[in-house]
Amino acid sequence: MINPVPLDVLAALDELGIEYSTMGEEAKALCPSPEHDDTTPSWSINLDSGMHHCFSCGYGGSFRRLVADVREDGGGSWSDALLWIQQRKVKDIAEGKVGRKAKPKKYAEITAADLWEFDEEYPIEELEFRGFDGDVAHGFNLLWDQKRDGWIIPFHNADDRLIGYQFKPRHGTDGTPLNHPPHLKKSGRIFDNLGIIDGDLLIIVESPLDVVRLYAMGYDNVVALFGASMDAEQAERIIANFSKVILFFDDDEAGRKGVSRALKLLKGTDVHVFAYAHPLRMGQYYVHTEVSGKDPGDLTKEEVAEGISRATPGFRTGFL
Ligand SMILES: [Zn+2]
């Protein structure tokens, strides 16, 4: 194989010191060509084929080309690049068919060893902004990525096995949350583990850090879906464990769509919807509160308590 591609292209980019953001089948980054002093991310790489291209300067080619050009640890020759890739797990792509979209992608499994590079030195300002302290963060197994400056939020499947983690940039910085591995199936991924929550009532939020924040406010029955879109398997696990649910999604378009979707999936369960102020949208169906923020992270303890106490039965929300 003359043009091998690492099985886990993103992990290889990490090793090469390339900071990227992912979008579908691609990752974007500042152009890694030593010749190009890129200021906006002009370069993208296909995560399947490893082929890459800079729209600004035209640099690009195979993954091997990239390795040969950007390796910082010395041996940046063309033949060493081949060795470097072969020392990692390599994708099974037949020669000459690179770039063809054929097989479902496989990514290296995440293990506890993948978390060793992170620590628990959470920045004070970040803890203050999030509304919980280091002990609580530690209790939820949160870690901090000093290099990329953001949270590492491990997630486990229904059997409590580590299956991946999310990187979430520090508040106020650009960038979007990134999942590792990137195409991890959403199903069954819930933060925190449903099995340890006592009682009948479950509160569901979008973001895992809001679970931690609400815990610090005294709510120990909160889980996060990693986004607003519930899937059928998550719904199944929720229905199996709880008789009453409060949906406390963000007060934006994605959040409202997510509520509609969840209400359909949780049919037959006693579902309430967190009471944000929505006099216009909800008309007579909605209880108007003085809640001012647009997601759990914006609200004070009193506002959270009020919104929860006034949560509206799903069948009356107008979301259905
Ligand atoms: Zn370039």
Side-chain angles (χ1 to χ4, degrees):
M1 216 190 282
I2 294 169
N3 249 338
V5 181
L7 186 59
D8 189 339
V9 167
L10 291 178
L13 293 178
D14 284 338
E15 283 191 76
L16 293 170
I18 294 173
E19 292 185 16
Y20 52 81
S21 57
T22 55
M23 231 172 98
E25 309 286 307
E26 310 229 293
K28 282 185 79 166
L30 294 174
C31 179
S33 164
E35 318 280 289
H36 180 192
D37 191 12
D38 198 9
T39 51
T40 56
S42 316
W43 177 85
S44 66
I45 179 164
N46 183 292
L47 300 179
D48 195 30
S49 66
M51 298 298 283
H52 55 101
H53 179 68
C54 173
F55 297 103
S56 170
C57 73
Y59 169 76
S62 66
F63 199 87
R64 184 178 177 184
R65 175 79 268 152
L66 178 71
V67 174
D69 290 340
V70 307
R71 264 181 71 191
E72 283 170 349
D73 54 345
S77 76
W78 184 240
S79 52
D80 284 344
L82 181 61
L83 264 178
W84 189 92
I85 296 173
Q86 286 171 338
Q87 280 160 1
R88 279 135 193 94
K89 277 186 193 162
V90 175
K91 254 181 218 177
D92 181 23
I93 299 177
E95 223 179 294
K97 289 186 178 167
V98 170
R100 192 176 63 99
K101 210 179 151 193
K103 302 184 183 77
K105 276 187 296 295
K106 293 184 195 116
Y107 290 94
E109 268 190 32
I110 297 270
T111 68
D114 292 298
L115 303 180
W116 287 350
E117 60 177 299
F118 311 122
D119 58 41
E120 297 185 341
E121 315 257 315
Y122 320 108
I124 300 287
E125 323 82 71
E126 181 69 10
L127 289 173
E128 277 170 7
F129 172 78
R130 298 288 174 188
F132 49 81
D133 63 24
D135 287 344
V136 173
H138 169 76
F140 278 88
N141 300 315
L142 298 181
L143 296 166
W144 191 262
D145 182 344
Q146 304 292 347
K147 219 169 85 196
R148 288 186 289 173
D149 202 26
W151 295 99
I152 296 294
I153 305 164
F155 30 71
H156 301 80
N157 67 5
D159 305 326
D160 208 24
R161 191 171 63 81
L162 178 72
I163 51 171
Y165 62 89
Q166 182 174 83
F167 167 75
K168 189 176 171 84
R170 181 202 283 256
H171 167 71
T173 56
D174 290 343
T176 47
L178 297 174
N179 291 335
H180 303 268
H183 295 268
L184 192 62
K185 198 166 152 252
K186 180 172 176 137
S187 295
R189 190 151 47 91
I190 286 183
F191 183 90
D192 191 47
N193 194 341
L194 284 181
I196 62 172
I197 294 179
D198 228 11
D200 284 344
L201 173 67
L202 181 71
I203 299 172
I204 305 176
V205 298
E206 295 181 26
S207 160
L209 293 183
D210 289 334
V211 173
V212 186
R213 180 185 173 89
L214 289 170
Y215 179 86
M217 290 179 177
Y219 300 94
D220 57 5
N221 54 343
V222 186
V223 295
L225 299 181
F226 290 93
S229 176
M230 182 181 291
D231 75 14
E233 198 176 323
Q234 290 174 325
E236 223 171 88
R237 288 175 67 191
I238 290 164
I239 292 168
N241 287 284
F242 298 90
S243 59
K244 184 177 173 184
V245 169
I246 293 179
L247 302 174
F248 187 3
F249 292 0
D250 296 358
D251 187 19
D252 55 20
E253 206 189 325
R256 289 189 282 270
K257 274 191 189 150
V259 167
S260 298
R261 184 178 163 79
L263 286 173
K264 284 174 194 126
L265 285 168
L266 298 172
K267 273 239 164 75
T269 312
D270 184 13
V271 186
H272 286 53
V273 181
F274 184 85
Y276 287 105
H278 270 310
L280 290 174
R281 186 179 174 86
M282 293 298 119
Q284 58 177 315
Y285 293 114
Y286 223 76
V287 182
H288 186 102
T289 70
E290 296 306 313
V291 166
S292 59
K294 66 162 266 302
D295 67 54
D298 288 341
L299 304 179
T300 64
K301 190 174 174 176
E302 292 69 35
E303 289 171 327
V304 168
E306 181 174 3
I308 287 173
S309 72
R310 296 196 186 188
T312 307
F315 65 87
R316 285 209 290 120
T317 57
F319 282 113
L320 281 172

